[in-house]
Amino acid sequence: MRIARLIHTLGSLTQIALTVLTGVYVFLTWRLVNQTADQMIFSREQHRVALAPYLLVAVTDVDDTQAKAEVERNTKLTPKQKKDALKQIADTAIQYACTVTNPTSKVANNLVAILFDSGTQSFLFCDNGKEVLVEGAKEGFWFGWTYLNEREVRDHARQAFSEPAPFLDQVFATGATSYVVILFRDMEGRLYAFKRPFSISKEGEITHQPGTYAFDRKQP
């Protein structure tokens, strides 16, 4: 009888041990799978960051003279394109302007600029987008008086790049701080948003805050 009880007890202990070991195995496997997934995401994000140029974005004094000078200096524009651009500036009451410089060797393509004005809680969409920004290049963007709401600016951004880009919903948000966003693609065609907050004092002094990148982390 004692032997039978001992065998039964040993069997129960063995079953418990196997259950514990199974649980430990499942947990370790789950953790390993998650670590592998995290490593893959991290590696993918590192690859994305390695391809993206770091842009220097700054809001500048409102001056249509500067905007016209930038058009005149642009050797890539044909005479007709210059004429059309200068007419656009003349017909637009420029409220804001910003410059974008690419100090890196990585190329930025299809640049679009959007500005949020915290004073009016509205967005301004820049019509003079840039096709490419190579190493050392500096381009100017100017914004008129055509205000857009949050939904409209998201629709404009999606239409400009012909893709849903759900991460832009977090980029374009209203609040107490004004900011400018530069949307662009890297050399492999992936979409990014560089967002830089700024403020303008009553004396007209412009102060910038550090900028941040945003992109779709699920996209390879």
Side-chain angles (χ1 to χ4, degrees):
M1 181 67 70
R2 290 181 179 178
I3 295 175
R5 288 179 179 177
L6 180 60
I7 293 173
H8 177 74
T9 301
L10 290 174
S12 298
L13 291 173
T14 301
Q15 186 63 37
I16 292 172
L18 288 174
T19 301
V20 171
L21 288 174
T22 301
V24 171
Y25 174 78
V26 170
F27 171 76
L28 291 176
T29 302
W30 172 82
R31 189 170 67 173
L32 180 61
V33 169
N34 278 272
Q35 287 177 342
T36 302
D38 290 342
Q39 289 173 353
M40 290 178 64
I41 293 174
F42 177 76
S43 176
R44 189 165 56 198
E45 290 185 1
Q46 290 295 102
H47 176 67
R48 291 288 300 271
V49 172
L51 288 174
Y54 185 84
L55 303 179
L56 301 178
V57 181
V59 175
T60 62
D61 292 335
V62 179
D63 184 4
D64 62 355
T65 303
Q66 177 186 356
K68 292 177 181 178
E70 289 178 357
V71 171
E72 294 288 0
R73 288 195 301 265
N74 193 335
T75 58
K76 295 181 180 179
L77 297 178
T78 65
K80 184 179 184 307
Q81 288 173 327
K82 284 188 178 183
K83 181 179 178 181
D84 291 342
L86 291 171
K87 183 178 185 303
Q88 181 187 18
I89 294 172
D91 294 343
T92 303
I94 296 177
Q95 183 176 11
Y96 291 99
C98 80
T99 60
V100 182
T101 306
N102 181 9
T104 72
S105 60
K106 304 158 190 173
V107 178
N109 298 296
N110 309 122
L111 292 89
V112 171
I114 299 172
L115 185 143
F116 172 67
D117 181 1
S118 62
T120 61
Q121 292 290 296
S122 301
F123 293 87
L124 297 165
F125 194 87
C126 179
D127 292 325
N128 65 310
K130 309 297 180 181
E131 287 297 321
V132 63
L133 197 65
V134 298
E135 181 180 3
K138 179 179 180 180
E139 293 286 0
F141 296 81
W142 54 90
F143 306 87
W145 289 88
T146 304
Y147 287 107
L148 304 174
N149 61 35
E150 195 170 345
R151 178 188 58 79
E152 289 171 333
V153 79
R154 289 175 180 173
D155 290 344
H156 268 66
R158 292 187 177 100
Q159 290 171 8
F161 290 94
S162 302
E163 64 180 80
F167 76 93
L168 293 179
D169 291 343
Q170 282 70 49
V171 174
F172 297 115
T174 57
T177 304
S178 299
Y179 58 82
V180 61
V181 174
I182 305 299
L183 303 176
F184 65 95
R185 294 187 186 278
D186 65 18
M187 293 180 292
E188 294 185 357
R190 298 179 181 87
L191 182 61
Y192 299 79
F194 184 79
K195 179 178 182 178
R196 189 167 196 194
F198 70 94
S199 59
I200 303 178
S201 68
K202 293 180 180 180
E203 294 74 26
E205 182 179 352
I206 301 172
T207 303
H208 294 89
Q209 298 177 23
T212 56
Y213 273 104
F215 55 87
D216 187 356
R217 285 170 167 75
K218 294 181 180 179
Q219 186 181 34

